Structure formats: C-alpha cells, structure tokens
Amino acid sequence: MFDVIAIGELLIDFLPEGMTENGLSLFSSNPGGAPANVLAMLAKLGAKTAFIGKVGKDGFGQFLKATLDNAGIDTSNLLMSQKEMTTLAFVHLDTKGDRSFSFYRKHCADVSLDVTELNKDLLSSCSFLHFGAVSLTDEPSRTATLEAARIAKESGAIVSYDPNYRPALWNSEQEACHEMLKAIGYADLVKVSEEELLLLTGCEDFSLGADKLLKEGPSAIFVTCGEKGSHVFTKSCYASHGGYKVKAVDTTGAGDTFVGTMLWQLMNKSLEEIRETSVVEWEKMLAFSNAAGAIVTTKKGAIPAMPEVDMINKILDLS
C-alpha cells in the first residue's frame, strides 16, 4: 500500500541559464510537473509514493522516468507513449525569481492519459491521492484524473488538490474557473495561492474566500502567499505562519514542496483527526512547510532543490 499516489503531468522544465557569447538564450532541461514534484518531496522524507501519468517514449520521457526512479517514486503506472511526445515548458524568470511559462503541449502524452488506462486496484489501496488542474485542461486526461479522484475517495483515501492555474493552458479564464471549481468537490484538502483564491472566489479577504471553498466539500483550505507565509482554514479553525525571507533564485516547485511536506505531516491522521487539528499544531506544520518551500527557491529547478528533513529543521531552529 502506498502512502501517497499522484496523478497528472510529468514534463520538462527548461530553465534560463544565461546567454551565449552571441547573445542567445541558454536553457537547461529539468524534471518538472507539479504532481511529480509533490511526490519527490514526500519520497525524500521517506514516504512510499507512486506516480500515475504518461510521457512520450522519447529521450525526455526516458529521462523523466529515470528521475522518478532515482527519487524512489514507483513508476509502474507511468506509461510511455509511442504516439505522443513528452510535454515541454519553458520557464521565464523575473528579477525576483518569479516565473511565467511557455508550454509546448498540444497533442502531447500527459494529456492523452485515458480512463481505461487507470489502475483501479492501485487507486483503491492508497492513503492519499494528489492531483492538480493542469491535467484538467483537456480530454481525455480530465476525465481520467477526476475518475481517479473518485475511485480513491470512495475507497477511503484522503484527496489533495492544487488548482495550479496556468493561463496559457486554458482556452479562457471562464473555462478554467469552471473546471477548477468543479474539481474542488472531489477534494478533502485544497492548496491555493492568494491569486488563485481571488480568481476562484472573487474574494480578496482570505477568510471569506476560504469559506466559499469549504462549502464545496473540502475539510481544509491552504492559502500560500510566497515569502509572506501561509494560512489554513477549516470549518472550526484558522491558523497562519509568516514564512521565511530568503534570497530567491527560482520559485519553481515551492508550492509543490509546501504540499508535499504538508501531506507528509498529515500522513498518519484520519480525515476526522485533520478536521480536529488544533491551531498550535497547524502553526507548527505551516512553519515546517514554509521552511521547506523557502529552501527550494534558493536553487534552480524543483526536484533537484528539494531539501532533506535536517535542512528544514535547521531553518526552524534558527527562527
């Protein structure tokens, strides 16, 4: 039995690496994809994890499979497509390390995951399932992802969801909001950025926005605010932590690291126990996840930058 299974995109992030002597941009290829990033952080902390998804049977796909294998993530359900290529994303960083993306994803492998390719026995035997909205942008992966969430939840798993809004992947903001909100009904735990909370609820007030999302069915809403920290809302509790200021180089994977470390801290809890978690305990968990997310931003890439537990605890000890 796996502690956490994730379903969704696995792709190549091309990160900027300066210029050639002729003034041309250089990029390095890095493993990416939010669900895989979440599992990589969990595996680093000792959790038993497995990935469900599809990549092309090309050089990039082989590299990504090897990356997950080396990270200790089970890839038995990572399909290698003969027909479609692996998705590519070019990451553009501003002076603060914040990102924007250009995707090469039309007719690519991750979007072609079909519901008939799901391992239902696997989905029926995990403790947690995590998914994001990037796999909801097109069919057949949209139906496959939501069906995976349904199967896992009906089998007793706790379902985690990150809307992870990427405007370039949706036909319109209206479509994105409709599909992202629909998916919240499948989730027990939801992580949104402050921008995503505003987009999905129209509320600048975190409490009002989180209350709207809680009414859709989740037990806990996490709102991440970068260096300003994070918040958690349940129907009976609110807690926050102010975060850690570091010299950010690349914020890619910070939110996924937050999710991975939070799921790791919640792994031995039932959904009822999560609902009854105290403010003090939430504050400690937010501090741990904020520290991990901050560390990741100090290096380029997501999976290669993820910290060991000792490194996270060192940040906590210094605070």
Side-chain angles (χ1 to χ4, degrees):
M1 182 172 181
F2 290 96
D3 297 316
V4 184
I5 293 172
I7 182 171
E9 74 280 5
L10 179 61
L11 49 81
I12 299 291
D13 281 332
F14 283 98
L15 297 176
E17 292 289 354
M19 299 283 187
T20 69
E21 58 184 15
N22 295 322
L24 302 175
S25 297
L26 289 171
F27 289 86
S28 62
S29 58
N30 291 265
N37 291 342
V38 169
L39 293 187
M41 186 66 251
L42 279 155
K44 201 145 197 178
L45 296 172
K48 188 177 181 183
T49 62
F51 182 79
I52 299 173
K54 187 183 286 191
V55 293
K57 196 170 186 179
D58 49 33
F60 291 128
Q62 299 286 359
F63 165 68
L64 290 168
K65 182 181 185 305
T67 298
L68 297 197
D69 288 337
N70 291 336
I73 300 167
D74 184 275
T75 57
S76 302
N77 291 272
L78 173 61
L79 305 179
M80 312 287 286
S81 175
Q82 296 277 11
K83 297 179 180 179
E84 298 93 3
M85 303 295 286
T86 301
T87 296
L88 309 178
F90 284 81
V91 181
H92 311 283
L93 303 175
D94 64 18
T95 55
K96 295 182 179 180
D98 289 327
R99 312 145 299 157
S100 59
F101 295 86
S102 298
F103 289 92
Y104 293 81
R105 193 175 181 235
K106 287 291 183 182
H107 310 298
C108 283
D110 72 289
V111 185
S112 71
L113 182 69
D114 190 83
V115 68
T116 61
E117 297 172 313
L118 296 176
N119 183 336
K120 294 183 180 180
D121 290 336
L122 177 70
L123 290 164
S124 299
S125 62
C126 62
S127 297
F128 284 76
L129 175 79
H130 177 72
F131 74 101
V134 168
S135 57
L136 305 180
T137 58
D138 289 287
E139 293 288 4
S141 63
R142 178 185 298 163
T143 295
T145 301
L146 294 180
E147 177 64 5
R150 185 194 67 80
I151 293 170
K153 190 166 186 174
E154 287 189 356
S155 301
I158 295 172
V159 177
S160 165
Y161 168 56
D162 180 358
N164 196 24
Y165 180 51
R166 297 288 178 261
L169 294 178
W170 294 93
N171 294 319
S172 68
E173 185 178 290
Q174 182 179 12
E175 178 196 39
C177 288
H178 173 78
E179 296 298 338
M180 290 191 293
L181 284 169
K182 178 182 175 183
I184 286 175
Y186 291 78
D188 301 300
L189 311 174
V190 177
K191 196 286 290 183
V192 292
S193 68
E194 54 186 319
E195 296 84 4
E196 289 162 349
L197 184 67
L198 177 61
L199 175 69
L200 293 174
T201 68
C203 297
E204 293 186 359
D205 183 285
F206 289 176
S207 180
L208 293 176
D211 186 58
K212 280 191 175 183
L213 297 185
L214 286 169
K215 288 178 180 177
E216 298 298 317
S219 295
I221 305 296
F222 301 91
V223 183
T224 54
C225 308
E227 66 176 16
K228 294 180 291 184
S230 58
H231 310 257
V232 62
F233 299 84
T234 69
K235 291 182 179 178
S236 60
C237 180
Y238 163 71
S240 66
H241 181 270
Y244 301 90
K245 288 187 177 182
V246 295
K247 187 176 180 181
V249 173
D250 175 14
T251 58
T252 304
D256 304 328
T257 301
F258 178 94
V259 174
T261 50
M262 184 56 67
L263 294 183
W264 180 69
Q265 294 176 94
L266 296 174
M267 269 192 339
N268 295 320
K269 292 178 177 286
S270 67
L271 192 57
E272 186 60 35
E273 288 171 330
I274 291 173
R275 294 186 185 118
E276 295 175 356
T277 299
S278 69
V279 173
V280 172
E281 191 174 359
W282 277 127
E283 288 173 345
K284 291 179 180 178
M285 289 191 284
L286 291 174
F288 186 86
S289 292
N290 286 346
I295 292 169
V296 167
T297 69
T298 63
K299 300 177 182 178
K300 287 189 177 181
I303 293 176
M306 288 179 174
E308 305 283 350
V309 66
D310 290 345
M311 188 180 298
I312 301 171
N313 285 329
K314 186 176 180 180
I315 295 290
L316 296 176
D317 292 340
L318 292 173
S319 62

